[in-house]
């Protein structure tokens, strides 16, 4: 049994959630310590391994009411690949009707066509990693997309038919004034997202930003600010 001495999932009465980590990014952002690789040639074997893992839990008695594709950059997977993973999950697990199925989207990897494909494959909620609406901060964060890409992704997502759209923003950036941050918030709200997650930039060990902060090359904002 894969469960060992942990509470048996069939004894849990509440619906659970499935999280799928897609471990690929075109380029590593210097503040990020989530696992990812730029080697997209591993996609096929990763999906095979994921299917193997799903098979391993076949017969699980839990029911699920959320599925979340996080990363990494899930939008490096095609709609066909996402669809095949969802089909596999629906085949092996008890997935409730009206399950919320979320996918994280990097604005640098999601064109209008991809977004249409994702909604057709069953994704009903997306979370767009905007991070900032200002190119100078996106450059600072080492993001692969521009502010315009982020706006286009938000517009394309609405046009594709998504009615549950979240976005992520990061604040507390070097040289970011309160006014800059307020502008980002205003811009974000102008898209009327269903959800907005705001993260203060953190300096995770073993990242280039952590090192740069230790060396004094990056200065976080003043504590009062
Ligand atoms: S795109 Fe996201 S997961 Fe990938 S390196 Fe950047 S912050 Fe990390």
């Amino acid at each position: 049994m894969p469960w060992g001495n942990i509470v048996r999932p069939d004894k849990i009465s509440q619906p659970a959630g499935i999280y799928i980590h897609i471990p690929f990014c075109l380029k590593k952002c210097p503040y990020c310590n989530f696992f990812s690789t730029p080697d997209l040639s591993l996609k096929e074997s990763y999906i095979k391994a994921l299917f193997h893992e799903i098979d391993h839990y076949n017969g699980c008695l839990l029911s699920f009411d959320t599925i979340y594709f996080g990363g990494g950059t899930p939008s490096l997977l095609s709609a066909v690949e996402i669809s095949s993973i969802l089909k596999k999950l629906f085949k092996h697990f008890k997935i409730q009707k009206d399950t919320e199925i979320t996918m994280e989207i990097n604005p640098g990897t999601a064109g209008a066509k991809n977004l249409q494909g994702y909604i057709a494959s069953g994704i009903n909620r997306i979370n767009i990693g905007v991070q900032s609406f200002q190119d100078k901060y996106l450059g600072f964060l080492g993001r692969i997309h521009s502010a315009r890409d982020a706006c286009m992704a938000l517009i394309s997502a609405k046009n594709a038919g998504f009615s549950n759209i979240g976005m992520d923003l990061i604040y507390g950036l070097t040289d970011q004034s309160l006014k800059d941050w307020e502008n980002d918030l205003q811009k974000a709200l102008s898209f009327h997202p269903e959800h907005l997650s705001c993260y203060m930039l953190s300096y995770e060990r073993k990242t280039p930003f952590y090192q740069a902060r230790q060396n004094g090359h990056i200065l976080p904002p003043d504590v009062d600010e």
Side-chain angles (χ1 to χ4, degrees):
M1 284 291 289
W3 313 110
N5 291 327
I6 306 169
V7 180
R8 282 175 45 150
D10 50 311
K11 299 289 179 210
I12 302 171
S13 54
Q14 295 293 319
I18 296 175
Y19 175 79
I20 302 211
H21 186 84
I22 305 298
F24 303 102
C25 288
L26 290 183
K27 177 175 160 271
K28 197 80 199 161
C29 303
Y31 58 91
C32 175
N33 72 345
F34 292 122
F35 178 80
S36 66
T37 168
D39 186 356
L40 300 186
S41 70
L42 294 172
K43 264 203 310 179
E44 202 182 318
S45 34
Y46 174 76
I47 292 171
K48 261 191 199 157
L50 180 63
F51 280 18
H52 189 67
E53 179 87 1
I54 294 169
D55 286 337
H56 182 63
Y57 289 99
N58 196 25
C60 162
L61 298 177
L62 277 177
S63 72
F64 298 91
D65 64 356
T66 61
I67 299 173
Y68 194 101
F69 289 92
T73 307
S75 47
L76 282 173
L77 261 51
S78 68
V80 171
E81 288 165 328
I82 291 288
S83 173
S84 69
I85 297 171
L86 283 173
K87 275 188 192 138
K88 181 87 180 163
L89 291 173
F90 274 86
K91 186 173 166 202
H92 287 268
F93 295 136
K94 275 192 278 178
I95 314 273
Q96 294 192 354
K97 208 171 148 252
D98 300 328
T99 285
E100 183 179 88
I101 308 177
T102 306
M103 179 174 172
E104 290 177 350
I105 301 284
N106 184 313
T109 61
K113 266 205 162 151
N114 302 40
L115 289 159
Q116 285 159 12
Y118 295 143
I119 201 166
S121 72
I123 301 291
N124 54 31
R125 178 174 180 265
I126 53 171
N127 199 57
I128 302 183
V130 172
Q131 318 310 359
S132 174
F133 285 101
Q134 296 172 62
D135 283 336
K136 61 179 172 177
Y137 297 124
L138 291 172
F140 169 74
L141 290 168
R143 301 288 299 179
I144 59 165
H145 59 90
S146 64
R148 188 175 179 278
D149 294 333
C151 295
M152 288 309 295
L154 286 158
I155 293 165
S156 302
K158 283 231 158 109
N159 290 343
F162 283 104
S163 57
N164 195 351
I165 301 175
M167 72 172 98
D168 293 344
L169 290 179
I170 302 182
Y171 65 97
L173 310 174
T174 299
D175 294 334
Q176 184 185 37
S177 66
L178 280 176
K179 188 71 198 153
D180 279 338
W181 172 233
E182 205 176 281
N183 288 341
D184 264 359
L185 286 173
Q186 294 294 354
K187 185 78 180 172
L189 293 178
S190 73
F191 288 96
H192 305 288
E194 275 65 37
H195 187 90
L196 181 58
S197 300
C198 302
Y199 301 95
M200 188 163 97
L201 180 63
S202 57
Y203 298 85
E204 307 297 334
R205 281 181 184 276
K206 298 189 182 162
T207 63
F209 267 24
Y210 179 83
Q211 207 51 50
R213 186 181 173 179
Q214 295 291 100
N215 298 339
H217 296 143
I218 288 183
L219 294 176
D222 176 75
V223 172
D224 288 340
E225 196 166 5

